[in-house]
Amino acid sequence: MDHFKSHIRIVSAFLLREVATRYGRSPGGYLWAFLEPIAYVSVMSVIFGAFARLPALGESFPLFFATGFLAYNMYSGMASYLTSSVSANKGLLQYPTVSPIDPIVARGVLQAITSLLVAFVILWVTRHGEKHPHSLLWGDIIEAMVAAWALATGVALGNIVLFERFPLYEKLFGIIMRPLFVLSGVFYVPRQMPHPFREFLLANPVTHVVILFREGFYGADIMDGMDFSYLFWFSLILLSSGLFIFTVWPVARRQN
């Protein structure tokens, strides 16, 4: 019990430090976390509206793009933020009571809260652009967020170790991940793509996160290609692999 209380205190201290360092130095502070994605969704919605008459789903370009962008960002934002948890706090990890998992937990909590607040604000506004909005399927929305965070945590835990041990891998990983935003169904619905590109896109688990998240707003009856079993097992295996690498490999425990 004492160890758990100590862990909570350390994580709380890291959380306050992360808020101060991440948002305290930028103009607008924490408000910028909302303004940046809102501006991005607005700009992309205008571009979408200029090149197409109707979105792939529904009647609102802002809602269609926002659901895809926010679902993808649930994964990418968490993965990138957690990956630098240990490297950004190496000085504090020299204290014997601080373990590498503490800054990871603190960053995970902060990123999850921020993502939820940003998503709520953007989706609350954009959903009013739909003339006949569907009832929200909260089960699909929550499952998509949990799957996105599980994927991101698994990737981040593995990369914390692999980036430090293999600098070349970090560069290769960055190159490979750059087109992921385009290949995750943010701008389109995978069912619209011809064979074999559709099957290639559905091999990407983040695509299933986007599909599942959108099902929560547009209904499951109009979507296809979603394989919940594939997403569940891929997330579980990736999370387990990341935990194994982070726990077993000595780099994860090195504090100097």
Side-chain angles (χ1 to χ4, degrees):
M1 183 61 69
D2 291 339
H3 179 73
F4 178 75
K5 291 181 179 179
S6 176
H7 173 67
I8 295 298
R9 288 196 298 269
I10 295 172
V11 169
S12 300
F14 268 111
L15 184 61
L16 295 175
R17 180 177 184 273
E18 290 294 333
V19 172
T21 56
R22 187 178 186 183
Y23 302 109
R25 300 175 183 176
S26 61
Y30 196 70
L31 183 62
W32 186 249
F34 296 87
L35 297 179
E36 185 177 15
I38 290 174
Y40 185 71
V41 170
S42 300
V43 171
M44 295 303 296
S45 298
V46 171
I47 295 176
F48 265 111
F51 286 95
R53 298 175 61 183
L54 290 173
L57 294 172
E59 304 164 338
S60 169
F61 281 105
L63 180 61
F64 174 75
F65 179 73
T67 51
F69 170 74
L70 291 172
Y72 174 82
N73 198 54
M74 291 280 182
Y75 161 77
S76 64
M78 182 69 78
S80 61
Y81 193 42
L82 292 185
T83 299
S84 59
S85 299
V86 173
S87 61
N89 294 281
K90 281 189 173 181
L92 296 176
L93 293 178
Q94 295 179 1
Y95 293 95
T97 57
V98 180
S99 65
I101 198 64
D102 294 328
I104 296 174
V105 173
R107 285 196 171 197
V109 172
L110 177 60
Q111 182 64 28
I113 293 174
T114 303
S115 297
L116 289 174
L117 293 176
V118 170
F120 175 80
V121 172
I122 293 178
L123 294 172
W124 184 84
V125 174
T126 55
R127 194 164 183 264
H128 284 72
E130 289 274 279
K131 295 180 181 179
H132 307 93
H134 292 268
S135 298
L136 294 179
L137 303 177
W138 287 105
D140 291 343
I141 295 173
I142 294 173
E143 288 172 355
M145 292 190 298
V146 171
W149 290 336
L151 287 170
T153 303
V155 170
L157 289 174
N159 283 346
I160 288 173
V161 178
L162 298 177
F163 281 3
E164 184 168 346
R165 292 185 66 93
F166 310 107
L168 180 59
Y169 167 77
E170 181 177 1
K171 298 182 182 299
L172 293 175
F173 182 85
I175 294 174
I176 295 173
M177 290 295 106
R178 283 175 187 171
L180 187 64
F181 182 68
V182 178
L183 299 176
S184 297
V186 176
F187 299 97
Y188 51 85
V189 176
R191 70 179 182 188
Q192 299 173 340
M193 306 302 292
H195 174 80
F197 299 105
R198 179 176 179 274
E199 287 70 23
F200 174 76
L201 295 172
L202 290 175
N204 173 15
V206 183
T207 300
H208 293 267
V209 170
V210 174
I211 295 175
L212 185 59
F213 191 78
R214 277 187 171 140
E215 284 184 358
F217 293 86
Y218 294 101
D221 57 322
I222 59 175
M223 307 293 285
D224 67 351
M226 172 62 202
D227 189 340
F228 183 80
S229 177
Y230 175 78
L231 177 59
F232 173 81
W233 286 109
F234 201 107
S235 303
L236 182 61
I237 292 173
L238 192 60
L239 179 59
S240 301
S241 301
L243 285 170
F244 176 80
I245 295 173
F246 183 81
T247 304
V248 174
W249 221 321
V251 173
R253 298 194 299 270
R254 190 166 61 197
Q255 300 182 1
N256 49 40

